[in-house]
Amino acid sequence: MSLIEVDSLRKTYTNEDVETHALDGVSFAIEPGEFLAIMGPSGSGKSTLLHILGFLDRYTSGEYFFDGKEMSDYVEEEMAHVRNKKMGFVFQSFNLLPRTSVLNNVKLPLLYSGVPEHRWDKMAKEAVEAVGLSHRLHHVPSQLSGGEKQRAAIARALILTPQIIFADEPTGNLDSKSGQMVMETIQHLNAEHGHTIVLITHETYTAEHAHRIIHLKDGKIEREEKVERHRRAKDQFIK
């Protein structure tokens, strides 16, 4: 069974009787363990799509099944539970608390998780280790490079071992070298730990870390492509 199935998804915004179709009949599926990139220029609908997939917004029409259940069948409390336990989010702006250590930033999702507090340190340290940032455990964000800040944000997204990680332009605020390191971290989490990844990006070099790329234009899927070089890039990174 697909982790995500989207069928004829539409999202329409109305402003002063003018309708804007942010998404216009989008259909695709994402399998468990897949790494999917969604590309498109500004205004193509990719951020709108991410917000719907991440239960942060609702669609106008169509169907969206997450883990076999249609989105409209989830009540608000269930959606909040799915967002917290089954989904991880990584954003362009990092969203780290500025005066809080990496360790404590990574712990934040545990506050409302129901996980006993005595386990928090161990879980956070394991997540930080998974992104290669153990040497920065007690540093605050101002002491980190841009790439390190993003890796801390990835560790925070990982801490509850979500089924899927949504990464929204994760390299957008980084130089090319830091961006490459962040993408290698994300690719490693997919290849070695089996995390399903959905990457939103406008950068070709970033998208090519994925297995498959969906190109959006004017709210529609313009084309899809498999990334043949993904296997070679992954093997090179693991070596």
Side-chain angles (χ1 to χ4, degrees):
M1 182 178 69
S2 299
L3 179 59
I4 281 176
E5 292 183 54
V6 171
D7 184 25
S8 302
L9 204 66
R10 287 178 167 81
K11 178 67 176 180
T12 303
Y13 296 100
T14 303
N15 184 19
E16 296 181 353
D17 297 327
V18 176
E19 290 190 343
T20 301
H21 302 288
L23 295 174
D24 191 5
V26 172
S27 300
F28 62 92
I30 303 173
E31 304 304 316
E34 187 175 5
F35 187 167
L36 173 71
I38 300 174
M39 284 194 72
S42 178
S44 62
K46 59 186 187 295
S47 292
T48 298
L49 180 57
L50 175 72
H51 289 161
I52 292 171
L53 296 180
F55 282 11
L56 300 170
D57 196 4
R58 291 187 179 270
Y59 51 82
T60 303
S61 65
E63 292 182 310
Y64 168 29
F65 291 86
F66 180 81
D67 207 14
K69 185 174 179 177
E70 219 284 327
M71 184 183 187
S72 60
D73 293 331
Y74 286 91
V75 299
E76 289 297 329
E77 186 176 344
E78 288 178 309
M79 292 177 71
H81 175 81
V82 169
R83 280 194 302 268
N84 190 42
K85 295 288 185 67
K86 297 186 177 183
M87 298 175 176
F89 296 89
V90 179
F91 298 102
Q92 178 177 341
S93 56
F94 317 134
N95 293 339
L96 300 174
L97 297 181
R99 298 181 181 179
T100 304
S101 69
V102 168
L103 179 66
N104 287 327
N105 264 291
V106 172
K107 285 182 190 178
L108 288 174
L110 298 173
L111 291 173
Y112 306 102
S113 67
V115 175
E117 191 170 351
H118 70 268
R119 294 178 53 198
W120 291 7
D121 269 12
K122 183 175 186 293
M123 293 173 67
K125 288 175 181 178
E126 288 174 351
V128 171
E129 183 179 358
V131 300
L133 212 58
S134 295
H135 61 299
R136 295 286 190 256
L137 200 63
H138 300 292
H139 288 61
V140 296
S142 62
Q143 297 172 307
L144 306 178
S145 69
E148 288 172 337
K149 290 176 186 176
Q150 193 59 286
R151 284 154 63 195
I154 293 169
R156 182 182 56 200
L158 285 176
I159 193 164
L160 288 171
T161 58
Q163 288 179 269
I164 188 166
I165 295 173
F166 295 105
D168 188 5
E169 300 280 7
T171 62
N173 283 335
L174 304 177
D175 59 57
S176 58
K177 182 178 179 181
S178 297
Q180 180 65 22
M181 290 181 65
V182 165
M183 287 312 305
E184 287 178 350
T185 299
I186 292 173
Q187 190 177 54
H188 183 67
L189 294 172
N190 172 255
E192 291 295 286
H193 300 279
H195 289 285
T196 306
I197 310 287
V198 175
L199 169 72
I200 302 294
T201 184
H202 66 278
E203 301 166 332
T204 300
Y205 89 91
T206 302
E208 287 178 345
H209 287 79
H211 301 132
R212 180 166 58 109
I213 303 173
I214 289 177
H215 295 264
L216 285 182
K217 184 178 181 181
D218 298 328
K220 299 175 185 274
I221 294 180
E222 187 178 38
R223 70 183 192 278
E224 292 189 34
E225 62 176 306
K226 290 186 176 180
V227 183
E228 298 299 333
R229 63 179 289 248
H230 170 82
R231 174 62 60 179
R232 297 198 299 274
K234 183 178 72 173
D235 289 346
Q236 182 179 10
F237 172 59
I238 292 173
K239 289 176 184 177

